[in-house]
Amino acid sequence: MQRAEAAAMEAAPSPQEKYQLITRNLQEVLGEEKLSAILKEREVKIYWGTATTGKPHVAYFVPMSKIADFLKAGCEVTILFADLHAYLDNMKAPWELLELRTRYYENVIKAMLESIGVPLEKLKFVRGTDYQLSKEYTLDVYRLSSVVTQHDAKKAGAEVVKQVEHPLLSGLLYPGLQALDEEYLKVDAQFGGVDQRKIFTFAEKYLPSLGYAKRIHLMNPMVPGLTGSKMSSSEEVGPCAVAGARGSARHGFVAGDSKIDLLDRKEDVKKKLKKAFCEPGNVENNGVLSFIKHVLFPLKSEFVILREEKWGGNKTYTDYEALEKDFAEQIRDLNSAPPPRAGGDLAEPRPSVATQVVHPGDLKNSVEVALNKLLDPIREKFNSPELKKLTNAAYPNPSKASKEAPGAGGNGALGQMGLGKGESLQGQPWRASEPAEKGTKNSEPENVVPSRLDIRVGKVISVEKHPDADSLYVEKIDVGEPEPRTVVSGLVQFVPKEQLQDRLVVLLCNLKPQKMRGVESQGMVLCASSLGEPRQVEPLDPPAGCCAGERVYVEGYEDGEPDDELKPKKKVFEKLQADFRVSEDCVAQWKQRDFLTKLGSISCKSLKGGSIS
């Protein structure tokens, strides 16, 4: 017995070792001294909250991995399913689906934790409505509202609560409720993403005014998504409370519309990872490397690069920095190699075996194998009839939902501008809205919503005049895929060639490809057009800092999946385009809802009130 006790004492981490486990890979800790002091006396109590909105996907492994660290350090961890927050954040979760989505979250989060070997008995699971509707909590909400200014409430939620032109009062309540959760869950610390910092400092300022203690705050960094741009590991799918989660619909490890769902088939995982941005030598904006650093390495303490013998064979890394160094150094060994293709993979030849560098293709393949090992038990669990039924009920197929009637309107008077009959300005056939064909059978009305459009940020790699049409450009546009798309645009009269070269544009990617004067066009560059004469045309501008392949969506329609290809006879784009307009602030809108990326609104330079096509 004494030997067992001595062995247990020897195996238990010291306060300093616990501190290292708790804080590793975090970007910031508010209250370091308090954390160290508690660890010298007892175990730390931490909570992580996730609003039950959109379906969790693989980005949620980032906070799950950190929760595993907390448990290794002996922390008492509470996971909060913030169902009430999901409703308050601009009604991201409809009231009638709230209970179903909360049950889905409970099942899927537990399945994720089990897949990475976290013992559930060491965790406490709580729903927000278990205590947030109590008399005591409600009274504290009123007490808090009597001391918090509107300015501070709005500022606190700016990075997390969905921002709209006419915000609801619920968005102002949101930060206060999250602050009160710290007291009612009786914790020492809250874990979240660095995008939650303003809510955390809000809590530190206002909880003492109610007589409650100031808590410790642990923040995960902004991590790159699969498109290569930075995004928080704490935001919600929707989009995650991936690291602390009560926020807008954005995530790490997402490639535009290609986010990797926890229930995706292996072939879908392969397809989506193949599209991931993984530029040789780029370690700053590399979502694939980021997933290894924040998930796979902390879980296994090693990572194996799988490759054929002719490229050096498998290599095991027990130190993440060594892997990152090898990946970064390869760029200097490729002076004779061709440039990277769009999407980040290298064309052959590869570097020599002697260099021992890490090729982007091998990195993706190795992550694919490791990720599928994590997803296999989740897929198996959700293959049961009960959980299949729950998934379909919590997230009903949008195409089976009630129809949202598109508004009336025209195509904005495209005019001829040197194009052939039936051609649009952006190089795709245009058909004005027509009545249904005679003889078609009656069917259930289609749900014509903006989420059916696959709109992405694109970067123009090259621009040339069409060989057979003076009014047309032929562009190569990177949209985050292995190869750039060829797009024909009727912009010669409106935009000089040098202004298109290397600029970011907004591209509709799921129209059926069509030949334009002998050149197949694989997309449509969306532009704003003036309604008067002389006619003016401006390509729409994504926010600064966007990367090729990032998804563009309409406010309120973040969660839907786009059609693989829009069927010309259905006229989905034409029906939606009738309500595309440029606001007085030069923001692109559909029915007065902004077109957005995770970094902000899509806009044009000057054409207020114009049409978009």
Side-chain angles (χ1 to χ4, degrees):
M1 187 69 179
Q2 289 179 342
R3 287 182 181 179
E5 288 177 356
M9 289 179 65
E10 189 177 333
S14 67
Q16 183 58 32
E17 289 171 332
K18 290 179 180 180
Y19 183 91
Q20 293 298 329
L21 270 173
I22 291 169
T23 60
R24 73 168 172 176
N25 288 336
L26 295 181
Q27 178 167 321
E28 186 176 4
V29 177
L30 299 178
E32 292 173 285
E33 291 182 4
K34 186 175 181 179
L35 176 60
S36 295
I38 293 174
L39 285 170
K40 291 175 182 177
E41 298 177 2
R42 58 174 174 82
E43 307 299 359
V44 176
K45 298 176 182 179
I46 300 174
Y47 103 88
W48 172 76
T50 176
T52 52
T53 55
K55 291 175 73 174
H57 50 65
V58 297
Y60 277 70
F61 277 117
V62 176
M64 296 302 105
S65 175
K66 198 65 215 157
I67 287 170
D69 278 348
F70 296 155
L71 292 173
K72 288 175 188 174
C75 299
E76 297 178 22
V77 181
T78 297
I79 292 181
L80 171 66
F81 297 110
D83 47 359
L84 194 56
H85 284 80
Y87 181 71
L88 288 176
D89 190 0
N90 220 45
M91 294 183 289
K92 281 185 186 171
W95 192 260
E96 61 274 14
L97 293 180
L98 209 55
E99 166 65 20
L100 292 167
R101 291 193 175 179
T102 302
R103 284 170 50 202
Y104 179 87
Y105 264 68
E106 288 179 358
N107 280 280
V108 83
I109 294 294
K110 289 177 181 179
M112 291 182 75
L113 290 165
E114 288 172 334
S115 80
I116 63 174
V118 173
L120 299 185
E121 61 271 14
K122 291 188 177 182
L123 291 163
K124 181 180 179 182
F125 297 93
V126 178
R127 292 191 187 194
T129 47
D130 289 344
Y131 64 89
Q132 289 167 348
L133 301 177
S134 69
K135 176 182 176 181
E136 294 77 16
Y137 188 94
T138 303
L139 181 59
D140 271 343
V141 172
Y142 286 131
R143 290 175 62 207
L144 195 60
S145 67
S146 71
V147 295
V148 174
T149 65
Q150 180 187 14
H151 172 270
D152 283 1
K154 186 175 181 180
K155 179 183 175 183
E159 301 295 326
V160 176
V161 178
K162 185 176 177 181
Q163 301 299 298
V164 295
E165 188 175 356
H166 302 291
L168 299 173
L169 178 60
S170 59
L172 297 177
L173 294 175
Y174 192 107
L177 270 61
Q178 186 167 337
L180 286 173
D181 289 342
E182 296 178 349
E183 172 64 23
Y184 279 79
L185 292 171
K186 302 302 178 186
V187 296
D188 303 306
Q190 183 179 173
F191 166 53
V194 73
D195 61 327
Q196 306 257 328
R197 194 181 195 281
K198 290 178 181 177
I199 288 183
F200 292 165
T201 55
F202 172 94
E204 293 189 4
K205 177 180 179 180
Y206 282 107
L207 279 188
S209 69
L210 299 186
Y212 299 140
K214 184 164 67 173
R215 264 63 179 192
I216 301 160
H217 294 102
L218 312 169
M219 285 169 271
N220 256 2
M222 301 287 280
V223 298
L226 290 184
T227 58
S229 58
K230 294 267 183 168
M231 43 180 87
S232 168
S233 61
S234 78
E235 295 165 321
E236 286 216 334
V237 98
C240 152
V242 178
R246 299 182 267 183
S248 62
R250 303 190 295 256
H251 280 280
F253 219 51
V254 181
D257 63 305
S258 300
K259 62 177 179 286
I260 299 178
D261 190 87
L262 295 168
L263 305 180
D264 271 350
R265 299 171 303 168
K266 290 185 178 182
E267 52 266 40
D268 294 324
V269 173
K270 178 184 286 291
K271 179 181 176 182
K272 292 174 181 181
L273 272 174
K274 188 176 181 181
K275 293 181 180 180
F277 178 83
C278 195
E279 182 182 38
N282 185 339
V283 299
E284 295 298 322
N285 300 309
N286 191 320
V288 182
L289 270 177
S290 177
F291 193 75
I292 296 171
K293 178 179 180 179
H294 290 278
V295 177
L296 300 177
F297 248 105
L299 292 177
K300 302 293 184 181
S301 299
E302 67 175 28
F303 184 72
V304 181
I305 294 293
L306 306 172
R307 57 190 178 191
E308 298 178 42
E309 288 298 327
K310 64 180 178 179
W311 304 125
N314 296 349
K315 182 172 182 180
T316 300
Y317 289 87
T318 56
D319 178 66
Y320 172 77
E321 283 68 29
L323 170 62
E324 187 177 275
K325 183 173 180 288
D326 277 0
F327 187 83
E329 285 185 347
Q330 70 177 328
I331 196 81
R332 293 195 288 274
D333 297 318
L334 294 174
N335 293 327
S336 61
R341 301 194 299 263
D345 291 342
L346 288 176
E348 298 293 345
R350 291 188 178 212
S352 65
V353 174
T355 61
Q356 289 297 306
V357 296
V358 178
H359 186 276
D362 293 331
L363 192 73
K364 290 182 181 182
N365 291 339
S366 304
V367 168
E368 177 194 338
V369 171
L371 178 56
N372 275 317
K373 286 182 180 178
L374 295 178
L375 296 180
D376 279 342
I378 302 173
R379 295 183 186 118
E380 183 178 354
K381 181 174 181 177
F382 273 76
N383 199 35
S384 70
E386 181 185 354
L387 288 181
K388 281 183 177 180
K389 184 178 179 181
L390 174 61
T391 303
N392 293 332
Y395 298 95
N397 190 330
S399 65
K400 296 180 181 178
S402 59
K403 178 182 178 182
E404 177 171 331
N411 62 23
L414 283 173
Q416 296 303 312
M417 296 175 286
L419 302 183
K421 183 179 179 181
E423 294 174 359
S424 78
L425 181 67
Q426 285 73 38
Q428 287 289 340
W430 177 267
R431 297 177 179 86
S433 297
E434 302 167 358
E437 294 181 19
K438 293 181 180 179
T440 56
K441 296 180 180 179
N442 292 328
S443 61
E444 189 176 330
E446 273 201 300
N447 192 28
V448 182
V449 292
S451 54
R452 295 183 63 180
L453 304 180
D454 182 2
I455 307 177
R456 303 183 217 167
V457 175
K459 182 174 182 179
V460 179
I461 297 173
S462 66
V463 189
E464 302 294 339
K465 282 282 192 74
H466 193 295
D468 298 317
D470 292 339
S471 63
L472 302 179
Y473 285 130
V474 178
E475 302 127 359
K476 294 288 186 182
I477 302 179
D478 177 7
V479 289
E481 297 172 338
E483 299 291 343
R485 293 196 180 203
T486 300
V487 177
V488 181
S489 300
L491 296 172
V492 172
Q493 299 176 31
F494 303 99
V495 185
K497 177 179 174 181
E498 57 272 16
Q499 289 185 17
L500 278 178
Q501 181 68 46
D502 296 322
R503 75 169 284 163
L504 294 179
V505 294
V506 178
L507 196 73
L508 178 60
C509 294
N510 60 342
L511 290 172
K512 183 177 180 179
Q514 295 285 344
K515 284 197 174 180
M516 306 297 296
R517 309 289 177 89
V519 177
E520 184 177 79
S521 183
Q522 299 167 330
M524 176 189 288
V525 177
L526 294 180
C527 297
S529 306
S530 64
L531 301 178
E533 295 293 340
R535 187 167 182 77
Q536 295 177 281
V537 175
E538 297 174 355
L540 295 181
D541 292 316
C546 285
C547 292
E550 284 186 35
R551 184 183 178 190
V552 177
Y553 55 88
V554 170
E555 176 189 322
Y557 291 87
E558 297 91 333
D559 295 349
E561 289 292 329
D563 293 10
D564 290 335
E565 182 177 283
L566 297 173
K567 305 302 180 186
K569 289 184 179 181
K570 299 288 187 181
K571 305 190 189 310
V572 172
F573 173 69
E574 289 85 345
K575 292 173 184 176
L576 292 166
Q577 188 272 340
D579 292 297
F580 288 4
R581 291 288 183 274
V582 179
S583 74
E584 291 304 307
D585 297 322
C586 290
V587 174
Q589 295 183 329
W590 175 79
K591 291 188 176 182
Q592 299 183 320
R593 293 172 177 256
D594 292 358
F595 282 82
L596 301 166
T597 71
K598 62 182 178 294
L599 294 180
S601 300
I602 302 295
S603 61
C604 68
K605 287 185 172 58
S606 63
L607 300 182
K608 299 178 181 179
S611 62
I612 298 172
S613 56

